[in-house]
Amino acid sequence: MMAASTLNVENVVKLLEESLCKLGFEIKPLKVGWYNHVLPASLQLSYPEDTLAVVILSTPAMFEQAFVPFLEEQSFQGLSDPIDQCVKHCVSSAVSQCFSDHKTAARYDYELLPSRKPKFLAQTAAHVSGAAFYYQQSDVPQQPWGEKKMYGVCVHPQFGGWFAIRALLVFEDVTLGSELQQPLPPDCVPTRDARIRLLEAFNFHWQDWTYRDIISPVEIYSQKQKDYFSTPPAQRIDLLKTWGFLQKDKSEGEPTSDLTFTQTKGHG
């Protein structure tokens, strides 16, 4: 816990990294203005542009270092997606331990506004923070797809596509000056041909995982993690039970999965 006058970007990042990196998460700071400047007003965050925010990513290690222990501790409540619950548990615990005297607002990748729009655009946040390059249709010169809509995808400089963008944490009472300069995300898919391969693999064949290997990653998902994310969301509870988890399910008979969001993010 730190007094408001001593909280700055360095110690925010340090405290979050001490809490979350050992659990397989990665932390990247940004200014709200960087995010807002690339989006229309309807999607912007309603904070001053110099407000500190942090984007939280999960690396391949998160599954074994955070998710499996979360299940072993019987923390799963049975009412929503287990991975989402685990991420929220980890982030909330870090915030309550380190920043209880500060006003923070967390947005998670699975949360929707009443309008059905996401509470934050995860890939945009990752790009403007420098964490991962968000490759979009507009990044391909003389694009070959005509009028077809191609969805963009982020590529991490170390993990390729073997990661996920999980949360955005806004420190409402921390304002930054010039001490935080906006980094450029590493352009690790620089050629037109490779970008075409990436976007076509992501849009047409995302289930086969190949888009994740557009660069040589330093680490990928374990086989168990691949098995989990390859399983349709509605069947993941049963899979976890075959692995020996959730046997003492305190909510037997209650709904076990809220699948309203899984069509867009069910593949991890």
Side-chain angles (χ1 to χ4, degrees):
M1 255 180 296
M2 309 193 76
S5 60
T6 66
L7 202 57
N8 57 36
V9 65
E10 288 82 9
N11 48 43
V12 164
V13 170
K14 181 174 183 287
L15 288 166
L16 284 174
E17 286 182 342
E18 287 172 353
S19 296
L20 293 174
C21 285
K22 63 191 176 200
L23 300 176
F25 294 96
E26 184 178 300
I27 311 299
K28 287 287 183 181
L30 64 147
K31 290 183 180 182
V32 165
W34 302 349
Y35 176 88
N36 284 347
H37 289 167
V38 298
L39 294 172
S42 62
L43 295 172
Q44 292 177 6
L45 301 174
S46 55
Y47 302 101
E49 64 176 30
D50 286 335
T51 304
L52 172 64
V54 172
V55 64
I56 300 172
L57 296 78
S58 61
T59 74
M62 186 275 287
F63 194 84
E64 277 76 24
Q65 293 177 1
F67 186 53
V68 170
F70 175 79
L71 295 171
E72 289 172 343
E73 291 160 11
Q74 296 288 324
S75 299
F76 176 60
Q77 296 302 307
L79 296 175
S80 61
D81 182 86
I83 287 276
D84 292 341
Q85 279 194 42
C86 171
V87 170
K88 187 169 187 177
H89 171 78
C90 294
V91 174
S92 299
S93 297
V95 170
S96 64
Q97 288 167 22
C98 301
F99 308 111
S100 62
D101 290 344
H102 293 273
K103 196 171 180 186
T104 60
R107 289 167 168 75
Y108 294 93
D109 65 311
Y110 55 87
E111 291 182 318
L112 300 176
L113 296 166
S115 65
R116 309 299 294 167
K117 291 177 180 175
K119 284 197 174 180
F120 82 106
L121 297 183
Q123 299 201 106
T124 298
H127 185 94
V128 299
S129 74
F133 199 111
Y134 182 23
Y135 291 97
Q136 303 180 72
Q137 195 164 359
S138 57
D139 294 314
V140 178
Q142 293 99 44
Q143 53 176 286
W145 305 295
E147 297 298 308
K148 184 170 182 59
K149 165 75 174 171
M150 299 291 282
Y151 291 97
V153 61
C154 274
V155 177
H156 190 283
Q158 279 82 47
F159 302 115
W162 301 96
F163 78 107
I165 306 148
R166 298 294 182 183
L168 184 75
L169 193 56
V170 179
F171 288 79
E172 299 179 5
D173 54 1
V174 181
T175 300
L176 301 173
S178 59
E179 71 271 20
L180 187 61
Q181 296 293 315
Q182 185 171 5
L184 292 173
D187 182 4
C188 40
V189 189
T191 69
R192 176 178 180 271
D193 286 350
R195 291 178 182 184
I196 289 171
R197 270 200 321 277
L198 170 67
L199 292 182
E200 290 186 347
F202 179 68
N203 280 266
F204 306 142
H205 311 290
W206 61 263
Q207 298 98 326
D208 70 9
W209 309 90
T210 55
Y211 81 89
R212 300 178 188 261
D213 289 320
I214 191 69
I215 65 168
S216 295
V218 298
E219 185 181 359
I220 68 170
Y221 290 176
S222 64
Q223 188 57 52
K224 202 160 202 172
Q225 188 168 184
K226 287 181 183 179
D227 293 344
Y228 181 82
F229 286 119
S230 296
T231 300
Q235 298 168 26
R236 289 176 184 171
I237 299 294
D238 289 338
L239 176 66
L240 291 174
K241 287 181 176 177
T242 69
W243 289 352
F245 297 120
L246 312 184
Q247 300 300 349
K248 302 172 188 171
D249 189 354
K250 295 186 284 292
S251 56
E252 201 68 57
E254 295 181 10
T256 52
S257 190
D258 173 7
L259 301 181
T260 56
F261 53 84
T262 53
Q263 296 305 311
T264 57
K265 60 160 304 272
H267 52 282

